[in-house]
């Protein structure tokens, strides 16, 4: 199988994984949103803030180092596994001990048992990051997809069953635990590699030099992604955080479906091209063009259809989430267009550059959140939009230092999807003026999505036939999924 076929098949299998797992998770999320109120969702979101922080400290640094290295020894894998496991146990104990202090800080005593049980996720993650890195390095995304979907399905069944039995927030807690347990067991069954009782200081240093920067980036990314949740939960309380969480969940879901699908493939792909700048540049253009084609209409459609999405999917009780969702849609547009800059920087062996970018971005964003939170959750969403657009060009300038870009070529890639999205937006706004608003909310939402998809599809097919042909070519390269 050629390298190009491996990349395209990797994208397809990652798409299956992301779309399947997100569909399962979103079904659970919709059920819980109907059964639970904003305060309960805010409480769960508060509990995950700390868990995501300690997970940022775990594993991904060594995992990315394994993927990026040209020469990999058996000792690198053994050392990475035992280092991750030791860190995972320490962070689990830290989570159990710190739970009362976290609950006290947010004045929510119910957080104590939730945080303690959720801390188990760190242990499960610590024993599977090396196996995941091996499969990603080998570009075996089919195995990763099967494992993820099976775990997600088991978690979804458990969560919906418990929600119908009135277990409340524990439905979501158990969903995450079951998903992680089943996924870990399947991953160990899929992979042939098993760790030996060996730990090499020399190989630890090899991984550490690259991985410590990734850990720093993960912590800063956590503050970027969850800093708004932290401040909203602390200053405005769990009800406001619940409304914000529902809106943000739509942004995260679309991002994971449309951009993370390719992002999981590009790091190992770009790493193989690190010595050929021309091929790296073409791969970067191709990845951003593909993502722009699917994300621009999706996020602009999210902005237009936010009222229908919130009321039709979650119910009238979530109406305050509508303006937040409309703002966050524009965050998705900006993130998608520079989504692969980080992968280029990492593949070229410059993790310290990503660390400095993340540090600058985080400082500005946290200050913006701290100022905006006094005016409510919509102001926080606007602050996120402004900070995201301020830093997007900076990331492109940094990438230009590694693989000199033709910015005119880069920008021209987005003209067809922007034109198609413009026609789609006009079509949706026109349809909303004439359609009967007394129709079933879910039916109306489905009709709007169909109208938008047809308007965008026809416009791009007529206005950008070359882009359509390239997408069809990629589909032919993929061939059978097996």
């Amino acid at each position: 199988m050629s390298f190009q076929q491996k990349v395209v098949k990797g994208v397809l299998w990652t798409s299956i994984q992301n779309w399947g797992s997100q569909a399962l998770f979103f079904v659970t999320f919709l059920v819980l949103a109907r059964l639970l109120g904003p305060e309960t969702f805010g409480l769960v979101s508060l509990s995950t803030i700390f868990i995501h922080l300690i997970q940022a400290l775990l594993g991904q640094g060594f995992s990315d180092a394994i993927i990026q290295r040209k020469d990999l020894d058996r000792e690198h894998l053994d050392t990475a596994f035992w280092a991750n496991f030791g860190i995972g146990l320490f962070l689990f104990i830290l989570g159990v001990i710190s739970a009362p202090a976290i609950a006290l800080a947010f004045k929510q005593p119910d957080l104590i048992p939730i945080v303690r049980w959720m801390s188990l996720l760190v242990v499960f993650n610590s024993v599977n990051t090396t196996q995941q890195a091996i499969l990603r390095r080998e570009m075996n995304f089919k195995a990763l997809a099967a494992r993820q979907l099976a775990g997600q399905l088991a978690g979804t069944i458990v969560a919906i069953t418990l929600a119908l039995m009135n277990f409340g927030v524990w439905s979501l807690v158990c969903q995450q635990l079951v998903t992680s347990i089943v996924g870990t067991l399947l991953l160990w069954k899929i992979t042939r590699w098993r760790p030996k009782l060996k730990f090499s200081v020399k190989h630890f240093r090899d991984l550490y030099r690259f991985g410590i920067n990734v850990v720093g980036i993960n912590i800063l990314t956590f503050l970027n992604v969850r800093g708004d949740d932290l401040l909203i939960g602390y200053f405005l309380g769990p009800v406001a955080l619940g409304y914000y969480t529902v809106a943000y969940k739509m942004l995260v879901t679309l991002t994971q479906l449309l951009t993370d699908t390719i992002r999981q493939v590009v790091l190992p792909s770009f790493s193989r091209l690190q010595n050929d700048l021309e091929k790296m540049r073409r791969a970067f253009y191709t990845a951003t063009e593909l993502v722009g084609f699917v994300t621009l209409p999706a996020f602009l459609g999210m902005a237009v259809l936010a009222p229908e999405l919130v009321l039709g999917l979650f119910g009238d009780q979530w109406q305050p989430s509508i303006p937040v969702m409309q703002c966050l849609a524009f965050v998705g547009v900006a993130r998608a267009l520079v989504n692969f800059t980080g992968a280029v920087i990492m593949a070229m062996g410059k993790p310290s550059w990503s660390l400095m970018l993340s540090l600058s971005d985080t400082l500005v964003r946290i200050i913006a959140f701290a100022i905006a939170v006094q005016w409510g959750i919509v102001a926080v969403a606007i602050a996120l939009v402004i900070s995201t657009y301020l830093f997007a060009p900076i990331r492109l300038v940094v990438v230009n230092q590694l693989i000199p870009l033709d910015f005119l070529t880069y920008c021209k890639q987005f003209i067809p999807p922007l034109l198609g999205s413009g026609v789609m937006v006009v079509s949706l706004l026109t349809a909303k003026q004439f359609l009967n608003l007394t129709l079933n909310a879910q039916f109306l939402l489905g009709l709007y999505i169909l109208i938008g998809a047809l308007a965008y599809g026809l416009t791009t097919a007529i206005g950008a036939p070359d882009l359509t042909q390239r997408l069809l070519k990629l589909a032919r390269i993929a061939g059978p999924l097996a």
Side-chain angles (χ1 to χ4, degrees):
M1 184 186 300
S2 69
F3 175 67
Q4 189 179 27
Q5 285 179 310
K6 285 185 177 181
V7 172
V8 176
K9 287 180 182 291
V11 170
L12 288 174
W13 276 111
T14 308
S15 299
I16 293 171
Q17 171 187 327
N18 282 344
W19 281 78
S21 62
Q22 284 300 312
L24 290 170
F25 183 82
F26 202 66
V27 167
T28 310
F29 188 73
L30 291 177
V31 171
L32 293 177
R34 293 282 181 175
L35 297 175
L36 307 174
E39 184 174 4
T40 303
F41 265 83
L43 190 64
V44 173
S45 185
L46 282 175
S47 69
T48 60
I49 291 175
F50 178 75
I51 302 305
H52 288 168
L53 173 59
I54 60 178
Q55 285 182 334
L57 299 169
L58 177 69
Q60 190 65 32
F62 290 147
S63 178
D64 282 359
I66 289 170
I67 295 169
Q68 192 272 341
R69 284 189 66 85
K70 294 180 184 177
D71 302 315
L72 189 69
D73 299 334
R74 166 79 196 209
E75 287 82 356
H76 284 121
L77 300 177
D78 293 334
T79 301
F81 176 86
W82 293 113
N84 285 335
F85 183 62
I87 295 170
L89 283 179
F90 171 77
L91 294 176
F92 166 69
I93 295 171
L94 179 65
V96 172
I97 295 174
S98 302
I102 296 169
L104 181 63
F106 289 98
K107 300 181 178 63
Q108 297 290 337
D110 292 341
L111 281 176
I112 296 176
I114 296 175
V115 170
R116 285 176 170 168
W117 277 102
M118 294 279 279
S119 296
L120 282 171
L121 293 172
V122 183
V123 179
F124 298 129
N125 287 342
S126 71
V127 297
N128 65 33
T129 52
T130 305
Q131 281 88 345
Q132 289 187 67
I134 293 171
L135 292 177
R136 288 181 64 198
R137 181 182 172 88
E138 297 173 349
M139 303 189 75
N140 188 355
F141 294 99
K142 179 179 179 180
L144 287 171
R147 167 253 181 187
Q148 177 67 29
L149 289 174
Q152 197 75 41
L153 178 60
T156 296
I157 293 172
V158 168
I160 293 178
T161 301
L162 292 178
L164 293 174
M165 296 172 64
N166 297 318
F167 275 84
V169 297
W170 291 101
S171 306
L172 189 55
V173 174
C174 290
Q175 179 201 21
Q176 296 193 48
L177 288 172
V178 170
T179 298
S180 185
I181 293 170
V182 173
T184 298
L185 292 174
L186 288 175
L187 192 61
W188 276 73
K189 182 177 178 60
I190 291 170
T191 54
R192 298 177 181 178
W193 177 83
R194 294 292 182 269
K196 294 183 179 179
L197 286 172
K198 290 182 179 180
F199 187 91
S200 167
V201 175
K202 174 183 177 297
H203 291 84
F204 177 83
R205 288 173 180 166
D206 289 343
L207 299 173
Y208 177 83
R209 281 192 290 267
F210 186 96
I212 189 61
N213 290 286
V214 179
V215 172
I217 293 166
N218 287 344
I219 295 172
L220 293 172
T221 300
F222 161 80
L223 293 174
N224 261 327
V225 175
R226 302 306 302 268
D228 45 0
D229 289 352
L230 186 65
L231 291 170
I232 290 170
Y234 187 82
F235 288 106
L236 302 180
V239 174
L241 181 57
Y243 290 131
Y244 190 86
T245 297
V246 165
Y248 200 88
K249 176 57 65 177
M250 187 62 69
L251 169 66
V252 171
T253 299
L254 283 179
T255 300
Q256 291 180 337
L257 290 177
L258 303 177
T259 65
D260 285 7
T261 294
I262 301 177
R263 189 169 60 183
Q264 294 180 44
V265 180
V266 295
L267 178 57
S269 303
F270 287 178
S271 295
R272 296 190 182 190
L273 301 175
Q274 58 186 285
N275 294 324
D276 191 330
L277 296 186
E278 181 56 35
K279 286 186 177 180
M280 172 82 82
R281 183 164 41 248
R282 289 202 302 268
F284 178 66
Y285 287 155
T286 300
T288 52
E289 182 181 42
L290 177 59
V291 165
F293 180 80
V294 296
T295 56
L296 284 172
F299 285 116
L300 291 175
M302 170 180 159
V304 176
L305 297 179
E308 290 76 19
L309 286 167
V310 171
L311 300 179
L313 296 178
F314 303 108
D316 294 342
Q317 62 176 327
W318 297 99
Q319 192 162 359
S321 300
I322 294 173
V324 179
M325 186 179 293
Q326 289 172 322
C327 292
L328 294 179
F330 293 95
V331 175
V333 173
R335 285 181 178 176
L337 301 185
V338 295
N339 198 39
F340 305 122
T341 55
V344 172
I345 296 170
M346 299 297 285
M348 295 298 290
K350 300 291 185 181
S352 60
W353 291 23
S354 281
L355 180 61
M356 293 309 297
L357 279 172
S358 297
L359 178 60
S360 303
D361 192 4
T362 300
L363 289 175
V364 171
R365 189 161 292 174
I366 292 299
I367 292 171
F369 289 157
I371 294 172
V373 72
Q374 60 185 309
W375 288 290
I377 55 177
V378 176
V380 173
I382 293 173
L384 180 56
V385 173
I386 294 172
S387 62
T388 301
Y389 278 87
L390 283 175
F391 273 89
I394 297 175
R395 291 188 169 274
L396 288 174
V397 170
V398 172
V399 168
N400 186 58
Q401 302 300 310
L402 297 172
I403 52 169
L405 302 173
D406 183 338
F407 287 105
L408 181 60
T409 300
Y410 179 82
C411 294
K412 284 172 64 177
Q413 296 179 124
F414 306 119
I415 293 177
L418 276 174
L419 291 175
S421 298
V423 173
M424 178 200 72
V425 168
V426 171
S427 300
L428 288 174
L429 292 175
T430 303
K432 291 176 74 169
Q433 294 297 318
F434 291 99
L435 286 178
N436 186 355
L437 297 181
T438 61
L439 293 172
N440 177 272
Q442 289 79 16
F443 175 79
L444 197 60
L445 176 60
L447 186 57
Y448 285 145
I449 292 174
L450 179 61
I451 292 171
L454 288 173
Y456 179 75
L458 289 174
T459 303
T460 52
I462 296 171
D466 292 343
L467 178 58
T468 305
Q469 289 299 318
R470 286 198 295 273
L471 292 174
L472 292 173
K473 181 181 177 181
L474 288 175
R476 288 194 294 270
I477 290 172
L481 287 176

